[in-house]
Amino acid sequence: GVCGICESEVSPMILLKGEVEIDHINPNLTDGYNDSSNRQLAHTKCNRQKGARSIQEQSKASGKTFAYIIR
């Protein structure tokens, strides 16, 4: 797999160590919060750094477009 935040590989060793989480792409959704379309695999470190930022805040911080973030 690939981390949905930093886009680098999630190696089998990282999986075995439990250093991955399921990230909510848009943590501020009320409807569809736990839908599969709002979840992605992420390194624990990446997910914790992202925190509960809105899509707009994520776009501003990363320089990525809204469409790219919610792909």
Side-chain angles (χ1 to χ4, degrees):
V2 174
C3 175
I5 298 171
C6 75
E7 300 174 350
S8 64
E9 181 182 0
V10 176
S11 72
M13 283 305 294
I14 289 173
L15 285 170
L16 290 173
K17 290 181 180 179
E19 296 174 359
V20 294
E21 296 179 343
I22 300 299
D23 170 52
H24 289 90
I25 298 166
N26 184 351
N28 301 307
L29 279 181
T30 51
D31 292 333
Y33 177 77
N34 279 319
D35 287 353
S36 62
S37 62
N38 192 41
R39 295 181 301 196
Q40 63 186 354
L41 184 67
H43 295 111
T44 299
K45 178 181 171 186
C46 295
N47 193 27
R48 299 302 165 103
Q49 287 176 343
K50 176 186 142 193
R53 292 183 189 162
S54 69
I55 296 288
Q56 181 179 15
E57 292 167 329
Q58 291 177 54
S59 176
K60 190 182 251 185
S62 68
K64 297 176 183 174
T65 65
F66 290 149
Y68 184 85
I69 293 170
I70 63 171
R71 63 187 179 292

